[in-house]
Amino acid sequence: MAQYDLTSKIAPQLDRHLVFPLLEFLQEKQLYPDDQILKSKIELLSKTNMVDYAMDIHKSLYRTEEVPQEMTDRRVEVVARLKSLEEMAAPLIFFLQNPSLVQELRSDKQYNLQMLNDRHQIGPDQIEALYQYAKFQFECGNYSGAADYLYQYRALCTNSDRSLSALWGKLAAEILMQNWDVALEELNRLKEIIDSKNFASPLNQLQSRTWLMHWSLFIFFNHENGRNGIIDLFFQERYLNAIQTNGHHLLRYVATAVIVNKRRRNMIKELVKVIQQEQYAYKDPITEFMECLYINYDFEGAQKKLIECEEVILNDPFLGKQVQEGNFVTVPLRDEFMENARLFIFETYCRIHQCIDIRMLADKLNMSYEEAERWIVNLVKNAKLDAKIDSTSGTVVMGTNHTSMYEQIIENTKQLSMRTYVLANNVASAAVPTAQAASSMRV
Amino acid sequence: MASRFWTQGDSESEEEESEIEEEENEVEAGDRDGGDTAARSKYLSKTASDSDESDDQRRVVRSAKDKRFEEMSLTVDQIKNAMKINDWVSLQESFDKLNKQLEKVIRVTESVQVPRLYIKALVMLEEFLAQALANKEAKKKMSSSNAKAQNTMKQKLKKNNKLYEVDIERYRASPVSEDDVDKSDEDDDEDEDSEVDVEEDPAKLAASYNTESDEDEDEEEGQDEEGGWEKKKSKRDKLMDKQFMRDPSEITWEMVDKKLKEIIAARGRKGTGRVEQVEQLTYLTRVAKTPAQKLEVLVNVVSAQFDVNPSLSTHMPIPVWKKCVQNILVMLDILAQYPNIVIDDSVEPDENETQKGADHEGTIRVWGNILAFLERIDNELFKSLQCIDPHTKEYVERLQDEPLFMALAQNVQDYVERMQDMKAAAKVALKRVELIYYKPQEVYEAMRKLAEMQTMTDAAAFEADLNGGENGDMEDDYDSKAANVEPKPSEDFRGPPAFIVTPEIVPRRPTFPEHSRTLMDILVSLIYKHGDERTKARAMLCDIYHFALLDDFSVARDLLLMSHLQDGVQHMDISTQILFNRAMAQLGLCAFRASLISEAHGCLSELYAGGRVKELLAQGVSQSRYHEKTPEQEKLERRRQMPYHMHINLELLEAVHLICAMLLEVPNMAANGHDVRRKVISKPFRRILEINEKQTFTGPPENVRDHVMAATRALSKGDWEKAYKVIESLDAWKLLRERDNVLDMLKLKIREEALRTYLFTYSSCYGSLSLDQLTTMFELSESQVHSMVSKMMIAEELHASWDQPTRCIVTHNVEPTRLQALAVQFAEKLSVLIDSNERAFDARTGGGLDGPLATRRRDTQDYAGAASGRWQNDFSNAQGRQGGFSARPNYTGARNAGGQARTGASGATFPKDRFGQGGRAGAAYSSGYQSTRYQDAYSSVGRTPYQTGSASSAGVRSTQPDGAARMVSLTRSGRF
């Protein structure tokens, strides 16, 4: 299944720290040899300050207690730097940790800066130090600390570029702490800035959007309302463009979200269009499933793809999230996906048939005859399907839904008289005031 | 060989002139005779190649040429008359007239040689003037106006005669009429180029040199040193420059500089031999004292060489072109050898800048612009390819010069990159791109092989090539000549050894990567980084063309969409527009090969909309019945033409276009058979079909059109076998690579469309159709038939559904009867009427339509979106129509905008995010540009498989009409 693994495509668009969850997942799924994953983890860590963690991994990888000299050196260096940064930011941190002092802050940034400078001798240098300190904390893996500091930094910072980076940092930290609600808020804030800000170059903007979309995957597939969110975000014109130019692989997530989301059926057409256009650039079982079903009407093909889809979902770090339910471990998304996909197939199938053999249907839907019958009865009962079951021949007969020509004409002409009436009234009422005005003038 | 050329070039002999005259006149004659442009252009192209015209035409020639001379002699007679009565006023008038006529004559003859008649008149005038001035008494008696005229005349004559001093002198020496000489050589029908190499009578040569030296002496009178030198120089053919041969070190920098300035000053003056100038300058390159000076002289040599051909429409003689290239290469050698020498045209360098020797510290500036030279060289190459008859050997030989140009361009690019002038580098890179973008891999391969072969051939081959003008080893040899390291004894070009020896530093051979794509990628990315707007646009178009050529449709399409070239192309220069059209045509062919029929049709339909394909692709001039072109327009157009080897085969293009139109249009016509306002996909196709149907008898197909029409007739009956056979018999398929694949694809497509047509046409006659029957009828696989029929059902084109247990199609027969259809139309017209009423009311009251009415209106729209089937279709059509023609463009515009926006590519990789607004708003902005054809060409291209409403892919379920412009929502649900 490794051929459908997107980690290598997604990782470049993520923050270093955000890649860890993906690697963890891969390790669990055993798609790749353990060694390889551990090595890449160390490599990943080498650029961060999480030296202790790196050491642990090193030990488990080479099964030794020895730790290379450079790691220990680096540890010392990191600690020293942490100290010095802490010192520099100390006055401001002290100030911020004192609730009574924080009370003095107001919503006016200029005032705050002035006040800090005058009363507490905290100048721009200290504020800058706070940023550096927060960044360092983040790199050390202390996400909650970093998130707090960055939040406060944003309240005080005047440099918009810095503020933007702080926001990115905050988002990453929230994601890593799995505070999905807060993360979603930050995401929206960031999105607003990206969309409104006049970026130096469109290229830059595009890159930011791509990043944002990749980061948002963490949130959308974990947040309870994420499935609507992802559709809302990704189907926006500009984001769709970004997907098409820069991140074709995101189509998998869009497609999944659309299939799973019952209320967003109207997006299917748009999605299919995009998938068809990009099929030369990106293909995986999920998009192929859509293609089979909505472009080629190849139901057998769709069926085959559906089986592959299951595998893909299980092995995808975002889609294949497991939930412990009692003794079972389930992947809720997979179940939903399969259910909905089946429904899609059936629905499309019904639309072009007037008579379907239930046995065949059961075959296609991977159900037994009785199951299939029950399923259809349920659909009919819920008024989702205009059909009857002919149980002697074992077929489903669709109701015809062609409106007759007469009905159409009646439908179309029905409100004509009403409209004319309103129009006439309007004309008349518009004419009266003028007439009055004219007569009053004369008087 | 070079010297032979030079010899000929600077000779004052009358032969050459007369020949040129002849040719020019023949052209005129052709024009006058035939009167049609075709004949004319034929002759034009012939001027360069061969000329075995028949005799009767020469008769006309004579008279045409004589006409000018007659006019002139008439004026001379007038002058004589005026002299007799001593009327200076009319004399002055006549003189002015004469001068004007002289210009004309010279233009006609295209020579620098002044007619003898004119000189005679000048001599006569001079004598008369001297006589009149001597006669003091007569002068006193003259009226004031006459005296004044005499005075002016005196000055004018003095000034004028200076130009023709030599000729006058010569005339005085031998007042025998040379007119006969003029005519004596008329049998010599050599063209200019080959003539250059023709060995001439040595006696005449000598004579010509004598006259030349005379001229020089006259010029240099009083300047002992220079004069002497000049004299020697001009006689070098017989005995080369004794003084310098003996002691070249006597020539000083100042001498060279002075001479150079002198020659430059003479440039462009009347009576200065252009070729002669080149020769003088070439000589100077060898005696130049410092590298910088040599460079400076070389710059002037090259400019002078460009001057050799004065006309815009004809090309520079090929040997001169080659020498020019060599000179530039030598310049590059110098620049590479002495990195402290800088060539640039922004600042005027010091007077004595070039005096600084090779060991000078710091930069030495020399005036000149290598990039401009390169562009000119490219231009001349292009022009020569335009002019030479493509079916001759000469053309092929000329094409073989391309590697030479590539080498030059490569070197220039290296140089400008070294100079950090990335803008210029981008321009040079574009020149190289424009040389390779249209070459498929095979042709590219051939060019690469040629270049390699040339590298390997040794000097022995050179001798053979001497006359043929093979670029190969000429270079080396010429180089050695230019630098004069080892002058060949066999040549009559014996100069002193050059003072500045320039070793060959820059490579004389182009290097080509294995694949043309690699080369393109390198160059194009350089251009994208550094080029200006136009350079980038052109490079992008070349890139698209090349991708399309390599069958990479999706990449080419994405490039086109992302670059937003189609938005601005109508503001660009014409040659870029042509390039755009070429790219579109290629893209269309590429889409066809990739079996993307509707995309191919989208690309090509605009090119064919006006019936001016030839013009749009600059592959020939099509005559328009409606407006005559002025000669200037024609000339301009001719200058734009693509050389033959770059042509896109028109027959193939037409075949592809018509077949695409057929595949789309036949099912479409069947689907909307008795609908009056059926949707037309391809207008030109419909027109041709109509014409074809009007014919009482149809013969066997002859041209592409006939073939496609025959196929169309068969296809509309569902007879796919016959349709395929007719299509297959087209000759144009020979030109396709992977011909079999394409034909297989075509076969499949024809079967599919036949199936659709069949279903559209006959489904109403059947209650049910079995799947097996259809598969056997159209030889399609079961799944294919199932998929196609399902698609039609979903799109509600076919009112039927599957009966799964029995595997057949059950039709519902919901086709409206005639009466029903009329009722629908009627209802629809009513609602249109109400709509327009409401709109009128809106306009009157300033949009103050209150609540209920407005909402209701929206309701109707929603309804329009939600309604189904034919009704809906009609409704939207009516909308479009109702809006009149102004609405139509909008219709497509919206469609286009939709396609574009959706597919998006929001200018991401191309730094222009015009797209920001999103595509919905597009309806407005796209409506404007629908009118221009270049634009149009694109408009339907987009990624529009859905929007074009090609029946097969129309959407399953329309999205609700949203807050978008009305047109958009309506059209989007157009095909429900």
Side-chain angles (χ1 to χ4, degrees), chain A residues 203 240-241 244 269-270 273 276-278 280 295-297 352-355 357 408 412 419-420, chain B residues 554 557-558 787 791 802-804 834-835 838 856 860 863 871 902-904 908 943 946 956-957:
Chain A
L203 207 61
L240 209 53
N241 286 336
Q244 287 181 318
K269 198 184 162 201
E270 207 164 342
K273 240 186 267 172
Q276 198 182 19
Q277 275 156 12
E278 301 304 328
Y280 69 91
I295 296 168
N296 298 327
Y297 300 99
I352 56 171
H353 282 80
Q354 68 161 11
C355 185
D357 191 355
Q408 281 187 41
N412 271 288
R419 278 170 75 185
T420 323
Chain B
S554 52
R557 176 196 60 184
D558 284 0
S787 158
K791 240 182 246 177
W802 288 105
D803 189 72
Q804 193 255 330
I834 295 217
D835 261 358
E838 281 173 3
R856 197 175 319 284
T860 17
Y863 174 72
W871 163 259
R902 179 110 325 283
T903 58
R943 305 174 167 190
Y946 290 89
V956 176
R957 185 123 291 185

Side-chain angles (χ1 to χ4, degrees), chain B residues 289 306 451 912 963:
Chain B
K289 300 305 275 188
F306 285 137
K912 249 198 260 168

Side-chain angles (χ1 to χ4, degrees), chain A residues 135-202:
Chain A
K135 195 173 167 206
F136 204 81
Q137 286 281 355
F138 179 80
E139 276 170 11
C140 290
N142 181 6
Y143 304 124
S144 66
D148 286 346
Y149 293 138
L150 284 173
Y151 175 74
Q152 281 151 345
Y153 172 76
R154 270 177 53 71
L156 295 172
C157 127
T158 46
N159 181 343
S160 66
D161 277 348
R162 264 290 151 75
S163 158
L164 191 64
S165 336
L167 204 47
W168 280 108
K170 179 106 192 325
L171 176 60
E174 297 296 346
I175 289 173
L176 287 165
M177 288 187 298
Q178 313 207 339
N179 290 338
W180 305 122
D181 282 327
V182 188
L184 190 62
E185 261 170 51
E186 298 296 334
L187 182 77
N188 286 332
R189 207 169 290 151
L190 200 55
K191 173 177 172 286
E192 251 167 54
I193 293 176
I194 289 172
D195 287 346
S196 68
K197 196 179 163 196
N198 296 324
F199 270 72
S201 72

